[in-house]
């Protein structure tokens, strides 16, 4: 699986909004790839193994962060509270009354979650990898972003086209994703150092020193 092609992946949203992270597209492809292996009964449990269908150099995959135009931003709030009346009407066990009535801590704690939602028609990623394998994986991508159980980020369609230039790391000399803090990159302008994983799984707490681009204009 060593035939790599630069490509542009455009994801069109059915509902026009999502809660999207700024992580590169390798995180999404890794999840799809490992799920495919799990379904086939071939997954060995190693979430750190190299993805054979993506080009890699300097310890990072050639996959960009998301690019999109925001039409507007909205805020969504969710309140979590324990309904004591309903609990009692269902003959709930009050042996742990002290814990049940305590809304300031533990499992019955009252809290509000607030989310910032971006509204956009489409999201674009740039990738350098095996075209046929990536097309096969993306057949199983129906939602993108967080809180997909609420219907956020529902995908209408995905366009995948091959392009001549690899834009997965740079577009017009501007980084398309976070980069490793090595001599090759650390002289570039508008970069600051931070601790963040360079490859998926990004949810693991194993950060590396990375360079992130900031547009000060």
């Amino acid at each position: 699986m060593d035939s790599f092609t630069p490509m542009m992946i455009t994801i069109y949203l059915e509902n026009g909004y999502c809660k999207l992270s700024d992580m590169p597209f390798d995180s999404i492809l890794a999840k799809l790839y490992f799920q495919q292996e799990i379904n086939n009964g071939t997954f060995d449990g190693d979430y750190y193994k190299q993805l054979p269908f993506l080009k890699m150099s300097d310890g990072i995959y050639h996959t960009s962060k998301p690019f999109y135009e925001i039409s507007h931003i909205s805020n969504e709030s969710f309140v979590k509270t324990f309904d004591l009346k309903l609990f009692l009407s269902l003959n709930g066990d009050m042996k742990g009354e002290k814990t049940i009535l305590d809304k300031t801590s533990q499992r019955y704690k009252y809290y509000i979650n607030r989310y910032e939602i971006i509204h956009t028609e489409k999201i674009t990623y740039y990738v350098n990898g095996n075209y046929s394998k990536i097309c096969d994986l993306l057949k199983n991508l129906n939602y993108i972003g967080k809180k997909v159980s609420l219907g956020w980020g529902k995908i209408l369609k995905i366009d995948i086209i091959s392009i001549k230039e690899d834009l997965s790391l740079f577009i017009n000399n501007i980084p398309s994703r976070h980069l490793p803090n090595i001599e090759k990159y650390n002289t570039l302008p508008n970069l600051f150092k931070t601790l963040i994983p360079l490859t998926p799984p990004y949810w693991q707490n194993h950060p590396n020193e990375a360079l992130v681009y900031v547009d000060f204009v």
Side-chain angles (χ1 to χ4, degrees):
M1 201 179 295
D2 55 356
S3 177
F4 299 140
T5 302
M7 63 191 83
M8 179 175 71
I9 298 171
T10 305
I11 298 172
Y12 295 86
L13 299 179
E14 181 174 310
N15 47 17
Y17 59 86
C18 62
K19 172 63 177 173
L20 195 63
S21 73
D22 206 34
M23 288 294 98
F25 202 56
D26 51 9
S27 58
I28 294 175
L29 292 173
K31 180 179 180 180
L32 294 170
Y33 179 65
F34 294 138
Q35 187 59 54
Q36 188 179 76
E37 286 198 333
I38 291 171
N39 294 342
N40 294 336
T42 58
F43 184 54
D44 60 4
D46 182 9
Y47 287 102
Y48 291 94
K49 62 184 176 182
Q50 186 170 344
L51 305 175
F53 55 89
L54 287 177
K55 183 177 180 179
M56 173 179 268
S57 61
D58 300 319
I60 55 173
Y61 292 112
H62 283 237
T63 58
S64 79
K65 66 181 181 180
F67 292 90
Y68 48 87
E69 292 185 5
I70 299 176
S71 62
H72 64 282
I73 295 174
S74 64
N75 293 300
E76 297 284 346
S77 298
F78 295 91
V79 178
K80 181 209 174 234
T81 185
F82 179 68
D83 191 332
L84 182 59
K85 290 183 179 180
L86 177 61
F87 181 72
L88 293 175
S89 70
L90 296 173
N91 298 317
D93 188 351
M94 290 296 293
K95 289 180 181 178
E97 180 178 353
K98 184 178 180 180
T99 300
I100 292 173
L101 298 179
D102 183 3
K103 293 188 176 183
T104 62
S105 63
Q106 302 185 55
R107 63 185 298 184
Y108 299 100
K109 180 179 179 179
Y110 170 90
Y111 63 85
I112 301 175
N113 279 338
R114 294 181 174 87
Y115 298 93
E116 187 177 84
I117 310 300
I118 64 167
H119 291 253
T120 185
E121 293 183 2
K122 62 183 180 180
I123 304 162
T124 299
Y125 292 91
Y126 298 95
V127 176
N128 195 337
N130 184 279
Y131 185 88
S132 60
K133 181 61 179 179
I134 290 173
C135 287
D136 179 57
L137 290 174
L138 291 181
K139 291 177 182 177
N140 296 312
L141 185 65
N142 300 311
Y143 291 84
I144 189 168
K146 298 181 179 179
K147 297 298 178 181
V148 298
S149 62
L150 300 174
W152 298 359
K154 187 176 182 181
I155 294 173
L156 176 64
K157 66 174 182 176
I158 302 176
D159 288 343
I160 310 170
I161 61 171
S162 59
I163 56 179
K164 293 183 178 180
E165 185 181 359
D166 183 0
L167 302 177
S168 59
L169 300 185
F170 291 91
I171 299 178
N172 296 326
N173 295 320
I174 296 176
S176 304
R177 55 156 296 154
H178 63 288
L179 304 167
N181 183 21
I182 58 177
E183 185 177 358
K184 180 177 181 180
Y185 302 122
N186 60 23
T187 58
L188 295 170
N190 292 10
L191 293 178
F192 75 91
K193 297 178 184 179
T194 187
L195 291 176
I196 189 174
L198 292 171
T199 57
Y202 290 110
W203 44 265
Q204 286 283 12
N205 189 24
H206 298 291
N208 305 93
E209 191 170 54
L211 300 172
V212 176
Y213 175 78
V214 177
D215 188 355
F216 295 101
V217 178

